[in-house]
Amino acid sequence: MTIRSPLNRDDAGTSPLPEIPAQLRAVLNGIPAMVGYWDTGLRSRLANDAYCEWFGIEPQQLNGMHVRDVLGDEAFETTLPLIERVLAGEAQRFDRTLVDAAGDSRYTEVTYTPDTRDGTVQGYFVVVTDITERVLADRRRQRDTDRYRALARSVPGVFVLLFDAEL
């Protein structure tokens, strides 16, 4: 298997991509996640609108852009071992905190799926789901549980029952 060096950002090779039919573009943009495709040179070949909005990049700019230039140096270095594994044919799934175009840190669940044709990895598909609300809700729930437990332990001889809105 031949994998171009992911550290070489000068091998743009950004031939124009075929136009995506309107129906397919609508499907990609209707998915509540960032969806993209990166080639073995780690250059963006396809991204839905959510991807562009998240990173504050126009679709025309994103085409052919190196993943390091999208993620930034620190996130790229952290992500590189996972990219190398997906380019070796091994799907990756992980959680990651990413900073969006507004500078806000957001919690994400990321999936990298190799695009393998005729036994050769051609690139990889990326799906990034924003799980910030779920993570924050879990943290609030844990904080509240810890508070109720601390309250129950602090009052000897008391029985505490706690019901949610559904009893």
Side-chain angles (χ1 to χ4, degrees), residues 54-130:
W54 182 284
F55 291 105
I57 300 170
E58 292 297 319
Q60 314 85 287
Q61 293 174 302
L62 190 57
N63 179 36
M65 210 170 179
H66 192 275
V67 69
R68 179 189 297 268
D69 297 325
V70 175
L71 293 177
D73 290 337
E74 185 177 328
F76 174 75
E77 292 302 327
T78 302
T79 306
L80 185 57
L82 301 163
I83 293 172
E84 290 171 340
R85 281 189 229 135
V86 75
L87 290 177
E90 182 184 335
Q92 301 294 304
R93 184 171 183 224
F94 55 97
D95 291 344
R96 171 71 41 83
T97 301
L98 288 174
V99 177
D100 65 16
D104 296 326
S105 291
R106 316 239 326 251
Y107 302 98
T108 64
E109 181 178 89
V110 182
T111 303
Y112 291 169
T113 305
D115 174 21
T116 306
R117 286 178 259 153
D118 299 324
T120 303
V121 175
Q122 304 295 314
Y124 62 102
F125 301 96
V126 177
V127 177
V128 181
T129 306
D130 184 349

Side-chain angles (χ1 to χ4, degrees), residues 1 3 8 16 53 75 86 109 129:
M1 162 176 44
I3 299 175
N8 184 353
E53 291 168 13
V86 75
E109 181 178 89
T129 306

Side-chain angles (χ1 to χ4, degrees), residues 19 21 27 32 54 78 82 89 108 115 125 131 134 139 141 145:
E19 190 63 34
V27 169
W54 182 284
T78 302
L82 301 163
T108 64
D115 174 21
F125 301 96
I131 59 169
R134 183 175 75 205
R139 288 182 178 178
R141 190 171 19 261
T145 299

